[in-house]
Amino acid sequence: MRTSYSALNTYKTCPLKFKYQEIDRIKVPKGKEAVFGTTIHSALHYMFTHEPLYPSLDQVLDFFGKKWMEAQEKVTLEAKEAEAYHNQGATLLSSFYKKNQPWNFHVLDMESRFEVFLEDPDTKESHVVAGVIDRIDKIGDNHYEIIDYKTSRRMPAQAQLDTDLQMSVYHLGLLHKWPHLEAENIKLSLHFLKHGEKISTARSNDALKETRTQVLSTLREIKRRIAKDDFPPTPSALCDWCGYRSLCPMWRHLYQDEKSKIKNEQELAPLVQEYIALKASSQQNKLRLRELQAKIEDFMTSEKLERVFSDNAYLTRRNREKPVYDVERVRSILTAAGKWDAILKADERKLEAIVKTLPSETQEQLREAITDIKRFTILTLSKKKVTRGLDGAEEDTRS
Ligand code: SF4
């Protein structure tokens, strides 16, 4: 399979979006944040290009202004909004330029393409993962830095960055591109332009094996999904920037033209309304029941009663006890009695939570131990008004 880091990232955030984008190849226009991000990236590329001199800040701002004008043809924006984006871009570039004067850096490459070749040891299949690194600097003798610019606001925690797949794949990509570099001598940085903050991490030589395993495991998972044509939608905050909302089963019903295509829409609407009203009142009832229970129990305790009566019913307070065992002692007693296996049943929720913390190889082994997937549905009620607007705030769509 040939894929890119950004496609793998899309798969991780939503398998259905991956299918629309990478398998069905459905083209959707870019959102305004993505277009803004691309324009900023091209201005930064220009900033570090010296032919023969580096451009001045004014030249960079002029370049950005022109690119932003061109970019507006790709996205619908109100004049005020376009101006706000322009001002934000100019501020962000000015502040970046002042703190990072281009002549102070030894830039080796920009928009640097890489390809990582992987062979699955089990299936012997070959895969290629491609990507583009924003900037590669030399930062000392045999020391290098990969820099990825982010126009998003949300900065990950250091612990998250230390295991971040994008950084790991870029690390692997650079070592494939320039095999003479040493894994430990590569600094991996994300530069958050809106905050003027750079956070960095590194990967050891041993981490390369883990990255390969992680990528291969994701590729295997994708192949399994292709075989079953099973790409579930995975709604998250990122849906606000997804161009496939009018196709996606999670959002399609919000779109009027799609609504008119739904059979029996007239019948569905009152059912949904009634369900929501009942659910809301049952939630209120639950809260009120809890309040009443606490008050009645207080009364019972103070009056030393365990049962209270109304005209046609009564309430009884019963004490329930739930023993807390010493698991190790129980295990040895029941193992000796040959009963341990009978009571041992994995708690799926706990298992799911633990799986995420295990090394990829162990995760893969556990995945292979899945014999069946039980499917069930629940209806959850979210009380908020949703509009069709996209581009909630920001997205960094670059790989
Ligand atoms: S709208 Fe959300 S759930 Fe639907 S495809 Fe896009 S990211 Fe996935």
Side-chain angles (χ1 to χ4, degrees), residues 3-19 21-22 129-131 148 150 152 154 160 163-167 169-170 190 214-215 218-219 221-222 234 236 238 395-399:
T3 187
S4 66
Y5 163 71
S6 65
L8 292 182
N9 190 36
T10 301
Y11 174 76
K12 287 279 178 201
T13 53
C14 177
L16 183 59
K17 185 174 179 186
F18 172 87
K19 179 179 187 286
Q21 191 177 289
E22 303 297 319
V129 178
D148 191 60
K150 296 283 182 201
S152 52
R154 199 171 45 84
Q160 205 183 329
T163 53
D164 179 67
L165 186 62
Q166 180 187 12
M167 293 284 92
V169 171
Y170 283 15
L190 294 180
Q214 255 180 295
V215 172
T218 309
L219 291 169
E221 202 178 299
I222 293 173
T234 311
S236 70
L238 296 176
E395 182 189 30
D396 205 328
T397 53
R398 313 243 331 174
S399 59

Side-chain angles (χ1 to χ4, degrees), residues 231-295:
F231 289 87
T234 311
S236 70
L238 296 176
C239 293
D240 282 359
W241 302 281
C242 179
Y244 298 108
R245 289 192 1 158
S246 62
L247 298 178
C248 169
M250 281 291 165
W251 296 95
R252 206 173 68 225
H253 193 233
L254 193 62
Y255 292 76
Q256 209 52 46
D257 0 343
E258 295 299 324
K259 249 185 188 175
S260 59
K261 288 186 209 154
I262 289 172
K263 267 190 272 159
N264 305 331
E265 171 64 26
Q266 306 291 350
E267 232 176 276
L268 174 66
L271 295 181
V272 172
Q273 271 170 16
E274 188 181 345
Y275 183 89
I276 290 173
L278 276 177
K279 189 91 180 167
S281 71
S282 84
Q283 269 161 4
Q284 278 168 0
N285 286 346
K286 260 190 216 158
L287 282 179
R288 183 64 184 146
L289 276 172
R290 236 178 270 148
E291 275 172 23
L292 291 172
Q293 179 176 345
K295 282 187 182 165

